[in-house]
Amino acid sequence: MESNLVKFANNVDYHLFLQLFEHVEATAQLDKQAVAAQKLKILSKTYLFDKISTTAAEAKVENTDEDKKAFDEKLATLKAESDKVISSIDKASDEERESVFQYAKALYENGKYSESQKILKEISTVMKSRQLLSSQWGLLNISVLTNNYKAATEQFETLEAMIYRERISESEKLVQRNMLLNVALFLYKKHHSAEDLFSFFHKYESVLAAGSIHLLRYYIAVALLKADFDVLNGSILPIIQSESYRYQDSFTQFIEALLEDFDYERAEGFISKMESLCDKDYFLSTVKDQISTAAKNLVLSVYGIVHKNQDISPFVKKLGGTQADVGTFKHEPLKNNEDKNIENRLKDLEQATSSFLESLN
């Protein structure tokens, strides 16, 4: 099973994680009974009893109705308590508001998203910080799960602003932003806005590196799609260098081979591996060709940056590109001493490229 999938389990709601798991279930050539057993472990964190029953049968595991009966009783009690105060929620006590919130949460866990959403909208205006954040997370997750991505985008932006202004600890803000980084991919899956995802990842790249290093693949992907050489070389490469002991895949290895080791042939070899990884990836499968083209153009553009006045047609031909592809990735002029890192790397790159060109002759 694709190892990156597992890393999402601790960073997104289980209902969202099921979407990723079911993608693997549908596309990977794996033992169905073993996959069902793993899926059952995920479902055990929810109250999606219909799915639990079906999956238990597929996994050939005995399943009883005891949990469902206990949950139904709990849900009925929560509903009765909620019905008493929902019409005058603005006058309700903190304890009464909490009972309404718990009812909405139980409905969500049971997969009754529309009913949960209706209640969460009603109570979100009167909830306090922690409950308010939880309510907004519920609304965001429901919008994603029900494919209402216009509402999800608005709720995502609201939640980001709320995390900034709410009186919660800095460590809690870090956790919340880390979760947002992971959920951002679900919005990208629908809209394919590399620009938006790139901007968000770039804004919180320190959070990404600290809490969700598995997202580095997607940061590289959108940077490639955006054709941003300076971020790949100046921001992403240092993360790869410092975090390679924690995370590696063909995307990080491609950047490392090209921009650190200056090994063009090895970098080219990683492109096909990136394509294979995209085929399996829930978020990248539909943009595989664009990523592959962008990766090839990055190699050509690096050549163009370093050897402006040299004939690099042998290498362009070898990579199956055209001269027009060479300028795809733009490199901004150096502005201050902080950019000397890029300048020094380009000098190293020029030396390595000269050696490589000689090997082609």
Side-chain angles (χ1 to χ4, degrees), residues 236-253:
I236 291 177
L237 180 59
I239 296 175
I240 293 172
Q241 291 168 326
S242 63
E243 303 296 336
S244 60
Y245 72 98
R246 285 203 298 143
Y247 182 80
Q248 279 190 338
D249 64 18
S250 54
F251 280 76
T252 66
Q253 290 167 330

Side-chain angles (χ1 to χ4, degrees), residues 88-320:
S88 56
I89 191 67
D90 56 322
K91 299 177 183 178
S93 66
D94 290 345
E95 185 177 349
E96 289 171 328
R97 290 172 184 173
E98 175 63 21
S99 68
V100 176
F101 172 74
Q102 290 300 325
Y103 177 51
K105 183 179 178 182
L107 287 169
Y108 174 85
E109 293 296 346
N110 195 215
K112 297 176 179 177
Y113 302 129
S114 296
E115 294 176 53
S116 177
Q117 182 183 53
K118 182 179 178 181
I119 295 173
L120 288 173
K121 284 182 177 179
E122 288 188 48
I123 66 176
S124 61
T125 57
V126 297
M127 304 301 280
K128 294 185 177 179
S129 289
R130 191 165 295 279
Q131 288 177 328
L132 181 57
L133 281 170
S134 297
S135 297
Q136 289 299 321
W137 272 111
L139 288 170
L140 173 58
N141 289 338
I142 289 169
S143 293
V144 173
L145 288 163
T146 57
N147 297 317
N148 186 351
Y149 283 91
K150 181 179 179 181
T153 300
E154 293 173 357
Q155 286 153 357
F156 184 94
E157 293 171 353
T158 298
L159 192 51
E160 182 188 6
M162 192 179 294
I163 292 168
Y164 178 81
R165 70 171 183 265
E166 287 299 316
R167 293 182 178 179
I168 55 177
S169 68
E170 288 303 314
S171 61
E172 179 63 20
K173 287 184 178 183
L174 178 63
V175 170
Q176 296 279 334
R177 286 170 180 149
N178 186 59
M179 291 167 62
L180 269 184
L181 282 167
N182 285 266
V183 174
L185 277 167
F186 288 85
L187 301 186
Y188 169 74
K189 173 70 175 176
K190 177 67 176 181
H191 291 301
H192 291 304
S193 174
E195 180 73 36
D196 290 345
L197 188 59
F198 172 84
S199 297
F200 193 69
F201 279 176
H202 191 49
K203 182 178 181 180
Y204 294 115
E205 65 181 25
S206 61
V207 179
L208 184 153
S212 284
I213 195 62
H214 60 283
L215 298 182
L216 192 53
R217 173 189 304 176
Y218 308 103
Y219 192 11
I220 294 169
V222 291
L224 285 170
L225 293 173
K226 192 175 178 293
D228 196 313
F229 171 80
D230 289 328
V231 167
L232 285 164
N233 188 64
S235 295
I236 291 177
L237 180 59
I239 296 175
I240 293 172
Q241 291 168 326
S242 63
E243 303 296 336
S244 60
Y245 72 98
R246 285 203 298 143
Y247 182 80
Q248 279 190 338
D249 64 18
S250 54
F251 280 76
T252 66
Q253 290 167 330
F254 165 74
I255 297 299
E256 203 167 22
L258 179 61
L259 298 180
E260 181 179 13
D261 299 333
F262 316 124
D263 189 332
Y264 295 95
E265 290 187 331
R266 193 158 67 92
E268 182 189 356
F270 280 124
I271 294 176
S272 61
K273 294 180 180 179
M274 291 162 66
E275 292 172 350
S276 297
L277 205 54
C278 286
D279 282 331
K280 303 172 187 175
D281 194 291
Y282 177 76
F283 300 108
L284 300 179
S285 58
T286 56
V287 290
K288 177 185 74 172
D289 292 342
Q290 295 96 307
I291 289 173
S292 177
T293 299
K296 291 175 183 177
N297 287 345
L298 175 61
V299 179
L300 294 174
S301 294
V302 168
Y303 249 87
I305 291 170
V306 177
H307 289 275
K308 295 179 182 178
N309 302 316
Q310 293 187 23
D311 178 18
I312 62 170
S313 56
F315 185 63
V316 174
K317 183 178 180 181
K318 182 177 184 295
L319 224 62

Side-chain angles (χ1 to χ4, degrees), residues 339-350:
D339 291 321
K340 289 296 182 183
N341 176 52
I342 295 176
E343 186 177 69
N344 292 334
R345 297 201 63 75
L346 287 177
K347 288 179 180 178
D348 292 340
L349 190 58
E350 183 171 3

Side-chain angles (χ1 to χ4, degrees), residues 62-79:
E62 185 179 354
N63 181 52
T64 67
D65 290 335
E66 291 181 9
D67 288 342
K68 185 178 185 304
K69 289 177 181 177
F71 176 80
D72 287 344
E73 291 177 5
K74 175 184 175 182
L75 192 65
T77 301
L78 288 171
K79 183 180 186 305

